[in-house]
Amino acid sequence: MRVIGLMSGTSYDAIDAAAADLRLDGDVLVLTPLGMLSQPYPPELRAAVAASLPPASTTVEQVCRLDTGIGQAFAAVAQQAVEQLCGGYADLIVSHGQTVFHWVDNGIVRGTLQLGQPAWIAEATGVPVVSDLRARDVAAGGQGAPLVSIIDVLWLRGRPGVPVALNLGGIANITVVHGEPVAFDTGPANALIDAVVTELTGQPFDADGVMAARGQVHEELLARLLAEPYYARPAPKSTGKELFNLAYVAKAMEGLPEIPAEDLVATVTTLTARTVADAVRRYGGTEVVASGGGIQNPALMHLLADELEIPVRTTDELGMPSAAKEAYAFAVLGFLSVHGLGGTVPSCTGARHSSVLGSVTPGLSGLPTISGEARPPMRLLVQ
């Protein structure tokens, strides 16, 4: 089955599309990458997304406009992916949409909202679309995150020691693949770095980690930031920009003298490295396999390697393109869904049971056609 995964993360800077041929060979799920592409959000749409996110307030009208605008933007990228990556034909498109709110109440996820109306994608491409993949896990008592954990478990199971998959998006999350797997959001990855850099310089991120490399860590501010109770909560747990935003940094800075811009960026970069490393150490990780935009920040990666003193490698070294990993993960989740197979690991999300994820929007020819009986895969092979 030729499947396209569409993803935009908590940094909401671009829409990624990754195409793959997926097939079940007994209890092995075989993924053959066909390529990826990425398109930035139109500037006006990105600004509208930013203006609607917590701690800002919004209206139902704006939510409707965003649902349509994001859906249309995803549809344009999907069309491009069908033509450029799949030779004009795909069996299925899987859209994560754009997370705009993750409702956490005393550690319990009550709801999660991803916008990007899938009807626009189905109408533009004629291909069936699986979307809204997080809500079912939440309904089953889970965190709705990190959903990529099932791919990490299938892919890294069997490696020696205690491998830990790490995603450095806006929020950092890990999957510990050992015994009964564990997965959770560790805290901010790029969220605070990007927010501080944008506030101070107007630039969207710390290109090549230059500001962090030049700065000195403000130890008092770092200690205050590390005092956030979220870090000490047990897994499974999930979080988002509802907590980790500029207001979180501003509150920690109260009463402190003015901090130079580069020192502030160095401090929040160290916060990410420290909290990720603490989480990995807690579970005895023996190697880290990293992906996400944060791996492009040399300052962050060097700090993380220094903190951990274990091998820190990227998914590219193991055959999975790091830039496309999450998009491929959602392609796999949609593939499992249309085969009637569960897409979660309960010990990773905290759900009562594994669930078949998402809702299906029919294509021009209706629903996806599945032949034969499928059984849950035990391993993922990337060819």
Side-chain angles (χ1 to χ4, degrees), residues 31-52:
L31 185 154
T32 304
L34 300 177
M36 75 159 293
L37 56 86
S38 184
Q39 290 293 340
Y41 267 124
E44 288 185 3
L45 181 58
R46 187 173 194 271
V49 172
S52 72

Side-chain angles (χ1 to χ4, degrees), residues 111-203:
T112 186
L113 181 62
Q114 287 74 43
L115 296 183
Q117 173 54 241
W120 293 101
I121 304 171
E123 183 66 23
T125 62
V127 179
V129 180
V130 176
S131 62
D132 198 20
L133 291 107
R134 296 189 185 275
R136 182 60 185 274
D137 184 71
V138 172
Q143 297 281 320
L147 291 187
V148 71
S149 56
I150 190 171
I151 284 80
D152 296 331
V153 170
L154 292 174
W155 185 42
L156 297 180
R157 178 186 283 152
R159 288 184 64 80
V162 184
V164 177
L166 167 65
N167 177 57
L168 292 170
I171 300 296
N173 59 67
I174 65 170
T175 304
V176 183
V177 185
H178 182 70
E180 187 171 46
V182 177
F184 58 96
D185 291 341
T186 63
N190 301 312
L192 294 183
I193 303 169
D194 293 351
V196 167
V197 169
T198 300
E199 179 73 9
L200 295 174
T201 71
Q203 299 301 310

